[in-house]
Amino acid sequence: MTPPSDPAPHGAPAPGDGSPQPGRGRLLAVSDLHAAVSDNRPIVESLQPTSDADWLIVAGDVAERPEDIRWALGLLAERFAHVIWTPGNHELWTVSKDPVQLRGQARYDHLVELCRELGVTTPEDPFPLWPGPDGPVAIAPLFLLYDYTFRAPGTHTKEESLAVAHESGIVCNDEYLLHPAPYPTREDWCRARVAETGRRLAEHDPQIPLVLAGHWPLVREPTSVMWYPEFAQWCGTELTADWHRRFNVTAVVYGHLHIPRTTWYDGVRFEEVSIGYPREWRERGHPRGLLRQILPYEGEPAPPEQAGAGPSAQPRTPGGTA
């Protein structure tokens, strides 16, 4: 069930009996469900469309074990007209008690096959076209990882940045659980993913706008409000910093930071759509509902001071717990 402090699950009134209604659907998004956490499981169970045509983007960190990922995505695939998934770092972890001990690329391939069995779109599939009221919009699920170029302040190399993180005790579990095989390093895997994804985006028809949906932010700016700036090195790559300008992008969806909000960069809307851990959502609640409406966009336009100049000052927030 939805926590008592929440409005209707999507931040909008639910139809009379709570069942999906016929009509034009919405493009919704969520990330960081962490469905294996006992207090998050009722949240996953509460997620419902309000139209039989609603689509849902799930931008990573569903869970760590394939059995929990299958449960959550299977439930959502039964309810929504179309579900689109991209992995986060947690799906790629290989934990000791997981019956599936696949690592790296083999683990990702296993999850892609799991999604295809459920009818869920993955980053390996053609970009589906969401039938928007103003014409089709292509949804591009991105699997990109990170390459340690969002370095800790005052550092100039990966090694220096990691040393700062270890000294401060702010180290992502990826260092121990996310294996890049067959690539030598995680940054090698990231660069390969960026190259292949960039090629596909360049081949996309520029007349059809895109929603870019991935787990990690495409630009570094969203990490500036984290209490622990050294955690940013696990949050993306500078190689994607111009993608929202280079391609015909109407919105960018991401998670990972556990800082749900809307920001604008160069006039393009960025939506961080994470649920996060119970200690986080209990403190901040879900003021905009559990599912974010990406399209049709019904929010405020980009503030003049943000258009082309990044977001205005934001309160600092812990983050760094992805």
Side-chain angles (χ1 to χ4, degrees), residues 9-322:
H10 309 136
D17 62 358
S19 61
Q21 302 297 303
R24 186 176 297 278
R26 300 176 296 162
L27 178 65
L28 303 165
V30 71
S31 76
D32 298 80
L33 293 171
H34 296 290
V37 179
S38 59
D39 286 349
N40 276 27
R41 207 167 179 92
I43 289 179
V44 178
E45 292 172 335
S46 78
L47 300 179
Q48 295 277 359
T50 54
S51 162
D52 58 6
D54 283 353
W55 286 31
L56 179 64
I57 296 168
V58 183
D61 278 8
V62 175
E64 294 76 25
R65 299 186 187 187
E67 62 189 80
D68 293 317
I69 297 168
R70 180 183 292 276
W71 170 79
L73 291 180
L75 182 71
L76 297 173
E78 291 175 354
R79 296 176 176 178
F80 290 83
H82 197 134
V83 173
I84 299 154
W85 166 85
T86 186
N89 53 315
H90 280 243
E91 283 99 333
L92 301 173
W93 286 1
T94 306
V95 297
S96 59
K97 294 182 179 179
D98 188 345
V100 179
Q101 284 295 300
L102 294 170
R103 297 183 172 200
Q105 181 70 43
R107 188 173 190 86
Y108 172 62
D109 291 343
H110 176 75
L111 295 174
V112 168
E113 290 306 312
L114 180 157
C115 285
R116 286 174 172 167
E117 292 172 10
L118 298 172
V120 171
T121 294
T122 78
E124 305 311 305
D125 299 316
F127 303 154
L129 295 180
W130 179 72
D134 299 319
V137 177
I139 316 303
L142 312 178
F143 169 35
L144 300 174
L145 285 165
Y146 49 86
D147 62 0
Y148 301 91
T149 51
F150 293 178
R151 298 187 183 107
T155 66
H156 304 284
T157 66
K158 171 189 172 182
E159 291 72 23
E160 290 177 356
S161 187
L162 281 173
V164 168
H166 281 278
E167 288 168 6
S168 65
I170 306 300
V171 179
C172 184
N173 281 331
D174 291 6
E175 294 298 305
Y176 315 105
L177 299 174
L178 200 165
H179 306 281
Y183 297 91
T185 65
R186 282 176 286 275
E187 57 265 40
D188 288 320
W189 195 4
C190 168
R191 289 162 190 156
R193 293 297 314 182
V194 168
E196 172 61 16
T197 307
R199 179 192 65 78
R200 290 186 64 193
L201 291 173
E203 292 176 351
H204 174 74
D205 183 350
Q207 298 304 310
I208 301 177
L210 288 155
V211 169
L212 301 183
H215 185 64
W216 295 270
L218 293 182
V219 297
R220 178 165 184 162
E221 285 85 348
T223 70
S224 65
V225 298
M226 295 192 299
W227 280 359
Y228 308 111
E230 53 270 63
F231 194 83
Q233 61 196 299
W234 292 283
C235 295
T237 169
E238 292 180 349
L239 294 172
T240 60
D242 69 342
W243 281 15
H244 63 294
R245 301 189 305 270
R246 178 179 166 193
F247 304 112
N248 180 13
V249 176
T250 190
V252 176
V253 174
Y254 69 100
H256 190 57
L257 304 186
H258 295 192
I259 307 173
R261 59 178 182 150
T262 302
T263 51
W264 298 80
Y265 306 97
D266 305 302
V268 177
R269 177 167 48 100
F270 281 61
E271 298 280 7
E272 208 280 11
V273 298
S274 59
I275 298 296
Y277 296 120
R279 66 177 181 273
E280 296 165 328
W281 53 255
R282 284 197 181 103
E283 180 177 350
R284 58 171 155 76
H286 303 289
R288 299 182 59 188
L290 297 173
L291 299 181
R292 189 77 53 84
Q293 181 167 327
I294 306 303
L295 294 173
Y297 181 55
E298 298 177 347
E300 296 294 325
E305 69 272 15
Q306 292 185 2
S312 57
Q314 299 283 344
R316 297 188 70 81
T317 185
T321 57

